[in-house]
Amino acid sequence: MRVAVLSDVHANLEALDAVLERADALGARRFFVLGDLVGYGADPNAVIERLTASDATMICGNHDLAATGGFDLSWFNDAAAAAIEWTTRVLSAASTEVLAGLSPLRDVDGTLLVHGSVRDPVAEYLLGTDDARASFGLRGFDLAFFGHTHLPTVFACDPDGRVRGWVLPEDRPLPIEPGVRYLLNPGSVGQPRDGDARASFLMCEEGGAVLHRVRYPIERAQRKIREAGLPAWLADRLAVGQ
Ligand code: ZN
């Protein structure tokens, strides 16, 4: 079965719609969403409605927890904290209920979904092989998906325990090899930070995964952020993928 893996949508409805359309065209039958549905962007309620309507299997991220009172705002920079406060004000009761019902770690038939890492599902930025090794050591999964860094990344743990990490290239199938364990990050739908402004997501099926990048109407998402009175930097950064 083809599964589309999405992360860090961050209330960017334009990016989410472009990704859902592409994933549907690629035959996605199921959606995994790795948290940070909200924060930064101007469409938190519409994003939650879309993902709920897609029957997505979701976990929460640090921004979702902060928006529902479950994570300390002092952890965030000024723009992120301002966006959380704005989000908390505009979230509908139904959206708040959806977010409050999510956990930052979920086991889906042996496949692990985490926002940050296995070691710290909420807040750890999994960026290097030492940190990945710690997560591989904590649970006996073969495949885990993580988000939070907004960078498309793979960490692989070979049968001899050696851990390798690299950037996931676009459109090039990654074979999932028997005996090798994987931690995969699909990049960010709503706020990519690898210098490429296009939305990022992963398509997975038995034996392999492919990273896809999708253009979306960035100007429309930027305009909504400015009109909502959110920090202008949150609009500006979308254009440069940072
Ligand atoms: Zn995020």
Side-chain angles (χ1 to χ4, degrees):
M1 180 169 59
R2 289 201 176 150
V3 181
V5 185
L6 284 53
S7 192
D8 296 276
V9 178
H10 283 296
N12 186 334
L13 183 65
E14 285 70 27
L16 176 62
D17 278 345
V19 163
L20 291 177
E21 190 182 332
R22 176 74 66 85
D24 188 53
L26 290 166
R29 290 286 167 271
R30 188 169 187 186
F31 297 92
F32 290 165
V33 180
L34 309 177
D36 280 2
L37 284 62
V38 304
Y40 298 137
D43 276 311
N45 292 310
V47 159
I48 290 168
E49 281 162 25
R50 272 302 191 281
L51 291 172
T52 306
S54 303
D55 207 16
T57 301
M58 303 193 280
I59 59 172
C60 61
N62 52 320
H63 287 252
D64 307 317
L65 287 167
T68 51
F71 195 74
D72 189 356
L73 265 190
S74 65
W75 197 86
F76 295 92
N77 66 40
D78 289 350
I84 292 293
E85 282 166 353
W86 179 89
T87 302
T88 304
R89 277 203 307 279
V90 305
L91 271 184
S92 68
S95 296
T96 303
E97 195 181 328
V98 170
L99 293 184
L102 301 176
S103 122
L105 181 149
R106 194 159 164 175
D107 186 323
V108 184
D109 305 323
T111 296
L112 220 52
L113 314 184
V114 294
H115 182 64
S117 71
V118 179
R119 179 164 62 181
D120 177 352
V122 176
E124 182 181 11
Y125 289 100
L126 201 46
L127 291 164
T129 50
D130 285 345
D131 295 333
R133 192 174 295 109
S135 275
F136 279 121
L138 282 170
R139 285 174 83 123
F141 62 91
D142 286 330
L143 176 61
F145 296 106
F146 70 103
H148 194 43
T149 64
H150 298 211
L151 303 170
T153 323
V154 50
F155 292 103
C157 181
D158 293 334
D160 63 3
R162 190 168 65 108
V163 176
R164 300 167 287 140
W166 64 96
V167 172
L168 258 177
E170 179 186 1
D171 289 339
R172 208 170 319 145
L174 170 79
I176 302 290
E177 296 172 49
V180 180
R181 304 169 64 208
Y182 294 90
L183 276 158
L184 300 180
N185 188 321
S188 169
V189 170
Q191 194 196 78
R193 292 182 191 160
D194 60 348
D196 183 338
R198 296 174 299 164
S200 183
F201 74 104
L202 203 57
M203 284 291 293
C204 297
E205 56 190 331
E206 201 70 27
V210 184
L211 185 84
H212 294 273
R213 302 303 288 252
V214 189
R215 290 188 197 286
Y216 73 93
I218 291 176
E219 305 73 24
R220 200 184 306 160
Q222 290 177 307
R223 195 182 334 119
K224 288 182 182 175
I225 288 172
R226 295 192 187 106
E227 285 173 2
L230 286 158
W233 175 60
L234 298 176
D236 298 341
R237 65 187 302 179
L238 294 181
V240 288
Q242 288 295 352

